[in-house]
Each structure stands twice: as C-alpha cells, then as structure tokens.
Amino acid sequence: MEANQNAGSGVPLLSVRGIYKSFGLNAVLKGIDLDVMPGEVLALIGGNGAGKSTLMKIIMGIYSHDSGRLAMNGEAVALNRPSDALARGIYMVPQEPLLFPNMNVEENITIGFDRGKAELHKELVSTMDEVGWHLDLDRKAGSLSIAEQQLVEILRGLLRNAEILILDEPTSALTFDEVKSLFQCVNDLRSKGIGIIYITHRLTEVFEISTSVAIMRDGVITLSGQVGEFTKEALVKGLLPPNR
C-alpha cells in the first residue's frame, strides 16, 4: 500500500457534482455536491431519510443516478455496478462486517483474489506493518470482536488498493477502548493519503476524528466545511428543519 500520489495536489479523490436521484415520484437526492480529498476524513451526518444511504449506494455503484456526474482524481467515471467502484478503489466497511466465521482472518481478507497465496500473504503482512496493525491471521473470524472484524474489513479494502473508505456508523457497537483504537486506525490511514467518508450520528465524534463535515437533510447538503469552522450547536442547528 502506497501513499496516494495526489496528496497535496488539490485534486479530489472523489468529486460528486449535481447528483439527483428519485424513486418514482419520491425525490431522494436533489443536487448533491461533495468532494473527498486525499487524507481527509469527511463526516457525513443527517437523520433517517436524509439521503445518506442512497448517496453512498450511488458512489458504490449499487444505484445509478438520474443526473449529475462523478469524478475520481479529476477523471469522470461511470460507476454502474459495485465492481466498477471496487476497481476504482472505493470500499465500504458496513456497520456489521460480513465475514465467514469458520474461515481464518487471512482467508477472509484474501478471498476472491486469483493470485498465489504466498504473494498475497506477503502483501498482507506488508500492509499490516505499514499501518501498524497486528492481527493474528490464523484466528477464526468467529472469535473476533466487532472492532477486530472492522479491521479485517478495512484490510480487505487496503489489499484491493482502496483510495476511499466509507465507514458506516463504525462505532455503534464498539466499547470505549475499541473506539480509541479505531480512531488511531483512521489517523494511520489518513497519513497514507486515503480519503474517508465517516457516516455518524454522534456529533462528539465529528470533532474528535473528522477534518471536514457535511450535513444532509431532505436530499440536500445544508451545511459543509472544515470541522474547525463549526461548533456543536451550529451542527445541531444544521440538522433541524428551517422553521425550528
């Protein structure tokens, strides 16, 4: 795993412009603009129905958008299926990691590759050394904590040369110590130039781990900017309907 070549260039890893999406008569996304830079942790917050999941599914190639465009590293891209997103270096770590409990850690991480086991093992060990993580590769996945399972999912992404990681409510099932460990992992990834979309409803976490923030409400982004520009009260106000 190498540091992103565009780090410091001012070119977004991911650029979302004018994204609209409707399901029948229900307009879910109404012109979304969003950038993710190398080494950025973008906190995406919003209530249920704000459109966060739909936007992520478009970025992951699960849904198609009605209009607008996506670009990666300054190049327009068509993410028509999940394999397109994976090939472009976008990887999503779900709230509940999807591991095979009777397989060991290494088997879970390297499943799906057509390269030799020895080569994959060497690359996996090198990747863990780079980010300072030390998982027992022979442990059965069923014996891992939720935090350890998330590390396995992240390593899956890194071994697939992920440039952008999407973390969906990653601390919802973690203990205090596990949250601290996850935040250290996120900082390690930032130093490699990886961009992270951090979906959360916990505003305290926004100020602890994020570099920037965007609030979604009713299919639009109502507020965005560098975290240091906002107070917790300002974020709460951005989440509320205009008449509140």
Side-chain angles (χ1 to χ4, degrees):
M1 186 185 71
E2 299 179 355
N4 185 273
Q5 299 300 308
N6 283 332
S9 69
V11 178
L13 286 174
L14 173 69
S15 182
V16 174
R17 287 292 178 272
I19 295 295
Y20 285 80
K21 178 66 177 179
S22 296
F23 296 96
L25 298 178
N26 181 26
V28 178
L29 300 179
K30 307 167 186 175
I32 297 293
D33 293 338
L34 204 65
D35 286 334
V36 181
M37 304 298 294
E40 178 179 17
V41 181
L42 170 65
L44 184 63
I45 55 181
N48 291 336
K52 302 188 304 298
S53 294
T54 299
L55 178 60
M56 291 306 105
K57 287 178 179 178
I58 288 172
I59 292 171
M60 283 300 303
I62 298 170
Y63 289 163
S64 61
H65 50 283
D66 298 335
S67 60
R69 66 181 183 86
L70 302 172
M72 294 192 68
N73 298 307
E75 176 188 350
V77 294
L79 305 176
N80 297 318
R81 56 186 67 84
S83 58
D84 294 339
L86 288 171
R88 289 283 184 173
I90 302 173
Y91 193 84
M92 185 169 187
V93 177
Q95 268 185 282
E96 297 181 6
L98 305 174
L99 306 186
F100 298 96
N102 294 322
M103 294 168 59
N104 67 26
V105 168
E106 183 164 4
E107 290 167 336
N108 268 280
I109 294 171
T110 59
I111 189 170
F113 282 96
D114 56 7
R115 285 184 279 149
K117 288 186 178 181
E119 179 187 352
L120 284 169
H121 177 80
K122 182 178 180 180
E123 187 175 343
L124 175 56
V125 170
S126 175
T127 298
M128 288 196 298
D129 285 343
E130 280 192 55
V131 293
W133 304 346
H134 302 287
L135 281 174
D136 181 352
L137 297 178
D138 292 323
R139 275 182 68 185
K140 294 293 186 184
S143 71
L144 301 176
S145 69
I146 294 294
E148 290 169 327
Q149 291 178 47
Q150 287 180 336
L151 289 185
V152 171
E153 282 278 14
I154 291 171
L155 284 166
R156 276 178 169 173
L158 297 182
L159 209 62
R160 288 156 175 80
N161 298 314
E163 294 187 10
I164 296 172
L165 286 173
I166 302 171
L167 304 182
D168 185 9
E169 299 281 1
T171 64
S172 59
L174 301 188
T175 65
F176 176 77
D177 286 340
E178 289 172 336
V179 170
K180 287 176 60 179
S181 295
L182 175 68
F183 284 1
Q184 182 58 56
C185 293
V186 169
N187 284 324
D188 292 339
L189 296 172
R190 279 190 61 209
S191 70
K192 301 295 180 185
I194 291 173
I196 296 171
I197 300 175
Y198 189 95
I199 302 170
T200 184
H201 67 279
R202 298 177 176 179
L203 296 185
T204 53
E205 292 184 357
V206 172
F207 295 96
E208 288 181 62
I209 194 61
S210 304
T211 58
S212 59
V213 61
I215 290 180
M216 286 188 69
R217 188 182 67 229
D218 192 27
V220 299
I221 292 179
T222 59
L223 177 153
S224 65
Q226 297 300 300
V227 167
E229 300 172 6
F230 302 105
T231 63
K232 185 176 180 180
E233 289 71 24
L235 296 186
V236 170
K237 185 176 181 181
L239 286 165
L240 296 175
N243 60 342
R244 294 291 293 271

